[in-house]
């Protein structure tokens, strides 16, 4: 039995097969640059929140082929022993740049860039995409949910519905950095220092056979209590018994409120609010859960629902309405030469060259004018004015003056060595909030947001067009 002691084989077989070819042919150390990006905004959102960096850093720091990895590869009888020794000695050599975790990002701009030997870039692709695709998706969904609750507490309840253990754990961390306040996952609390929170389940009421006995037992054993009131009949039994127990225990407990998990939550919450107020508990909160997301929450608010705390599981943790971000990872440079992936679908043509993203912000109000992609090493801050144009419709353009250009990609590893100080989750959360704050509201609305400009510098645009023409011409000549 081989042990699960490394993540080097958490990759697709084709990566190892390509690496074998590169190594056999002596091109495995060729300098290349690959970039990871997504092509379409998830959930038709006006922005995305970058997630996954911490997990990537922690994984890459210790990435190596273990003895058991080598034993397994050897058992496949596909590779030379010498190649397996080469893999055994492999260590990360690349420079890796990425957006900071929690950063607001858009389609068709690099979230992360691997700048190093071909073997590294190829070996890391699958793992990087696996992490970025999921965590960015969940962070974005969480930010959308947080955008409609206007600061009301958001509790993450998704573990039981998530796509297995890793998704629950890292998904709840992604949700936390993008706006959630606490999680029901106790392990996430332990590992990430995220606040944990929770109420109780229907099972408690079933265990005692009725609401009163269940709430009484819970109040006897806990100081802070939220009673789940919908097990049998919310208005006839759950709420009156919650109030009865709260009155009986008085100061002995901190009666935080009640939770509803079924039925018409607009109607029920209004009725419950009246009962709680009348009984002298105006500060008791109404918690709600049951397949909620940003759309149902918005709708409940329109109906005047009196809900104070939102518990969100399934639709957040599974990214129910869009289960894949679709981020890809493409080679943009080899041996210092720009390279491109062509497609009949214009939207799928990659942008060549090692790049930097600059967030162009107005010096006066700090709001973002758009993102501006340059070749790495160019700095728009050296210009007084910038001509920004839509690369898909170059006639749509604007000239920006009095701006500050902030680089979005930062060095994470340089020549294989970690150079980045990992912020804690609270700092990441705060950073994400600030980053979102620099966007105009028009990009942040839930429905039909404005499209945020992601523009190319003129020389980058020209290089892309010229490369497309050159490749098409070369192919036509070969065809003759
Ligand atoms: N007033 C409301 N307006 C819009 N959606 C609502 C409202 N109340 C509840 N919902 C949402 O409607 C969906 C289904 O609720 P429904 O009442 O059919 O199921 P349920 O109460 O969970 O049923 P069950 O009693 O079998 O558990 C849930 O996603 C819930 O969040
Ligand atoms: O609805 P979600 O957004 O997915 O939130 C998580 C759900 O998990 C629990 O239900 P479940 O029926 O699993 O357990 P219970 O017996 O405690 O209600 C809870 O009551 C929520 O409804
Ligand atoms: O604490 C809760 O209320 C809770 C936790 C997990 C799932 N649903 C609800």
């Amino acid at each position: 039995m081989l042990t699960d002691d490394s993540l080097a084989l958490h990759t697709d077989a084709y990566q190892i097969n390509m690496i074998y070819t590169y190594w056999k042919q002596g091109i495995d150390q060729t300098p290349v640059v690959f970039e990871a990006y997504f092509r379409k905004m998830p959930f038709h959102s006006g922005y995305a929140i970058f997630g996954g960096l911490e997990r990537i850093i922690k994984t890459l720091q210790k990435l190596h082929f273990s003895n058991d990895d080598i034993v397994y590869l050897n058992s496949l009888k596909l590779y030379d022993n010498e190649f397996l020794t080469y893999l055994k000695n492999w260590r990360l050599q690349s420079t890796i740049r990425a957006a900071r975790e929690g950063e607001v990002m858009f389609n068709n701009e690099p979230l992360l860039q691997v700048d190093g030997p071909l073997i590294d870039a190829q070996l890391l692709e699958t793992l990087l995409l696996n992490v970025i695709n999921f965590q960015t998706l969940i962070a974005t969904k969480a930010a959308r949910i947080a955008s409609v609750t206007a600061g009301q507490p958001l509790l993450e309840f998704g573990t039981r519905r998530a796509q297995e253990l890793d998704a629950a754990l890292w998904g709840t961390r992604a949700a936390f950095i993008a706006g959630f306040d606490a999680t029901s996952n106790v392990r996430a609390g332990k590992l990430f220092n995220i606040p944990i929170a929770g109420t109780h389940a229907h099972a408690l009421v079933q265990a005692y056979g009725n609401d009163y006995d269940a709430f009484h037992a819970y109040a006897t054993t806990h100081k802070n209590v939220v009673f789940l009131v919908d097990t049998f009949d919310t208005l006839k039994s759950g709420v009156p018994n919650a109030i009865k127990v709260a009155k009986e225990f008085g100061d002995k407990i901190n009666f935080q409120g009640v939770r509803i998990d079924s039925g018409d939550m607009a109607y029920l919450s209004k009725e419950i609010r009246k009962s709680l107020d009348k009984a002298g508990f105006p500060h008791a909160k109404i918690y709600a859960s049951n397949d909620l997301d940003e759309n149902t929450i918005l709708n409940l608010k329109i109906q005047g629902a009196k809900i104070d705390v939102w518990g969100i599981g399934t639709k957040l943790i599974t990214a129910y309405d869009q289960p894949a971000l679709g981020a890809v990872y493409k080679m943009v440079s080899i041996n210092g030469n720009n390279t491109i992936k062509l497609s009949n679908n214009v939207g799928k043509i990659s942008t060549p060259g090692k790049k930097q993203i600059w967030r162009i912000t107005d010096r006066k109000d700090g709001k973002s004018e758009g993102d501006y992609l340059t070749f790495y090493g160019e700095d728009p801050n050296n210009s007084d004015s910038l001509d920004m144009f839509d690369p898909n419709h170059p006639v749509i353009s604007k000239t920006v003056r009095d701006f500050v250009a902030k680089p979005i990609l930062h060095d994470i590893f340089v020549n294989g060595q970690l150079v980045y100080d990992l912020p804690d989750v609270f700092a990441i959360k705060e950073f994400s909030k600030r980053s979102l704050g620099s966007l105009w509201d028009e990009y942040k609305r839930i429905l039909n947001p404005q499209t945020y400009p992601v523009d190319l510098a003129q020389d980058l645009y020209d290089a892309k067009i010229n490369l497309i023409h050159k490749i098409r011409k070369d192919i036509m000549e070969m065809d003759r």
Side-chain angles (χ1 to χ4, degrees):
M1 180 74 178
L2 298 173
T3 44
D4 183 24
D5 55 357
S6 123
L7 286 176
L9 299 187
H10 190 81
T11 187
D12 297 299
Y14 80 167
Q15 311 286 12
I16 306 281
N17 288 337
M18 284 187 280
I19 291 170
Y20 190 51
T21 303
Y22 301 148
W23 175 78
K24 277 268 187 195
Q25 303 269 315
I27 64 161
D28 52 294
Q29 294 300 314
T30 308
V32 292
V33 180
F34 278 65
E35 291 175 348
Y37 59 98
F38 55 88
R39 294 182 174 122
K40 284 200 193 127
M41 297 305 295
F43 318 110
H44 303 289
S45 179
Y47 60 88
I49 303 290
F50 177 53
L53 187 61
E54 176 167 323
R55 187 160 207 204
I56 287 170
I57 291 175
K58 293 201 163 146
T59 305
L60 295 192
Q61 266 184 303
K62 48 179 193 243
L63 197 69
H64 70 285
F65 290 86
S66 69
N67 287 334
D68 277 8
D69 290 339
I70 301 298
V71 169
Y72 174 70
L73 289 175
N74 191 34
S75 75
L76 301 176
K77 303 201 183 323
L78 293 169
Y79 313 111
D80 290 358
N81 275 340
E82 215 185 318
F83 176 66
L84 298 180
T85 307
Y86 164 78
L87 290 186
K88 182 83 190 75
N89 293 329
W90 175 86
R91 291 293 177 272
L92 184 75
Q93 298 172 68
S94 293
T95 293
I96 297 180
R97 302 181 188 90
R100 290 190 215 159
E101 198 157 25
E103 182 67 276
V104 170
M105 298 300 287
F106 304 91
N107 51 342
N108 297 314
E109 61 184 15
L111 306 166
L112 181 144
Q113 184 182 66
V114 178
D115 182 354
L118 187 51
I119 177 178
D120 284 21
Q122 207 78 71
L123 181 67
L124 303 185
E125 167 173 1
T126 308
L127 193 143
L128 294 174
L129 287 178
N130 187 193
V131 175
I132 291 172
N133 267 315
F134 177 69
Q135 292 198 36
T136 301
L137 192 68
I138 302 305
T140 305
K141 184 73 179 165
R144 284 171 65 75
I145 294 171
S147 77
V148 300
T149 50
Q152 289 178 315
L154 273 170
L155 311 181
E156 192 285 314
F157 283 171
T159 296
R160 64 192 58 205
R161 311 271 194 259
Q163 329 293 27
E164 266 267 18
L165 279 70
D166 267 18
L169 189 71
W170 290 92
T172 196
R173 182 182 174 282
F176 181 74
I177 65 175
F180 273 58
D181 297 287
T183 177
S184 63
N185 187 313
V186 186
R187 182 166 156 242
K190 173 186 164 198
L191 296 182
F192 303 133
N193 200 22
I194 299 176
I196 63 164
T199 67
H200 69 76
H202 296 109
L204 182 93
V205 179
Q206 290 174 272
Y208 285 90
N210 64 70
D211 289 308
Y212 178 79
D213 287 343
F215 300 160
H216 190 280
Y218 201 75
T220 305
T221 48
H222 293 272
K223 175 84 182 162
N224 296 323
V225 301
V226 178
F227 298 131
L228 174 61
V229 290
D230 73 341
T231 306
F232 299 129
D233 190 311
T234 304
L235 298 180
K236 291 205 177 95
S237 171
V239 174
N241 279 305
I243 289 171
K244 190 171 171 199
V245 171
K247 283 187 172 164
E248 282 173 17
F249 279 75
D251 286 347
K252 289 207 235 52
I253 59 168
N254 175 18
F255 176 48
Q256 293 178 317
V258 299
R259 175 165 72 98
I260 45 176
D261 189 47
S262 59
D264 183 329
M265 294 203 275
Y267 169 74
L268 288 174
S269 64
K270 287 183 225 173
E271 292 301 308
I272 295 170
R273 184 73 272 154
K274 279 190 243 164
S275 302
L276 290 173
D277 289 352
K278 199 164 148 220
F281 296 107
H283 300 299
K285 306 275 184 245
I286 300 177
Y287 292 54
S289 54
N290 187 13
D291 275 342
L292 294 169
D293 69 0
E294 68 274 32
N295 301 311
T296 35
I297 292 173
L298 212 47
N299 209 281
L300 285 164
K301 282 183 172 286
I302 289 167
Q303 296 169 57
K306 299 282 183 197
I307 295 165
D308 307 292
V309 182
W310 306 88
I312 322 273
T314 312
K315 291 197 170 160
L316 164 75
I317 208 72
T318 65
Y320 200 76
D321 44 341
Q322 185 182 326
L325 175 64
V328 296
Y329 176 85
K330 298 290 167 200
M331 187 192 286
V332 294
S333 161
I334 179 157
N335 263 327
N337 299 316
N338 299 331
T339 173
I340 197 166
K341 159 80 181 69
L342 291 190
S343 166
N344 288 333
N345 177 345
V346 181
K348 284 195 165 183
I349 298 178
S350 61
T351 299
K354 173 169 140 185
K355 295 180 274 299
Q356 176 59 283
I357 309 166
W358 300 90
R359 186 139 301 157
I360 309 299
T361 56
D362 187 297
R363 196 183 292 280
K364 286 190 251 47
D365 60 22
K367 293 289 186 191
S368 303
E369 295 279 352
D371 283 5
Y372 187 74
L373 273 57
T374 65
F375 282 119
Y376 196 84
E378 291 177 7
D379 186 347
N381 289 302
N382 297 330
S383 320
D384 290 335
S385 70
L386 272 191
D387 290 326
M388 296 183 69
F389 61 92
D390 180 342
N392 297 315
H393 309 280
V395 286
I396 302 177
S397 66
K398 62 179 174 186
T399 302
V400 183
R401 294 193 179 81
D402 210 14
F403 64 88
V404 181
K406 294 188 213 159
I408 297 296
L409 299 178
H410 300 273
D411 285 350
I412 308 296
F413 289 89
V414 171
N415 300 326
Q417 297 304 311
L418 184 67
V419 295
Y420 182 72
D421 281 336
L422 256 178
D424 66 34
V425 277
F426 293 94
I428 298 173
K429 187 183 181 66
E430 198 44 46
F431 167 73
S432 194
K433 198 170 157 194
R434 262 187 287 125
S435 181
L436 208 46
S438 74
L439 275 195
W440 289 107
D441 287 346
E442 287 72 13
Y443 303 118
K444 291 193 273 195
R445 63 177 176 243
I446 291 298
L447 190 64
N448 300 326
Q450 288 286 331
T451 303
Y452 181 87
V454 176
D455 296 346
L456 305 184
Q458 186 69 52
D459 56 349
L460 185 55
Y461 178 80
D462 292 344
K464 179 170 182 172
I465 300 295
N466 291 340
L467 205 50
I468 295 171
H469 288 316
K470 181 181 176 311
I471 293 173
R472 295 231 158 107
K473 192 160 151 263
D474 290 351
I475 290 172
M476 263 161 54
E477 276 168 12
M478 268 161 52
D479 226 22
R480 282 208 195 110

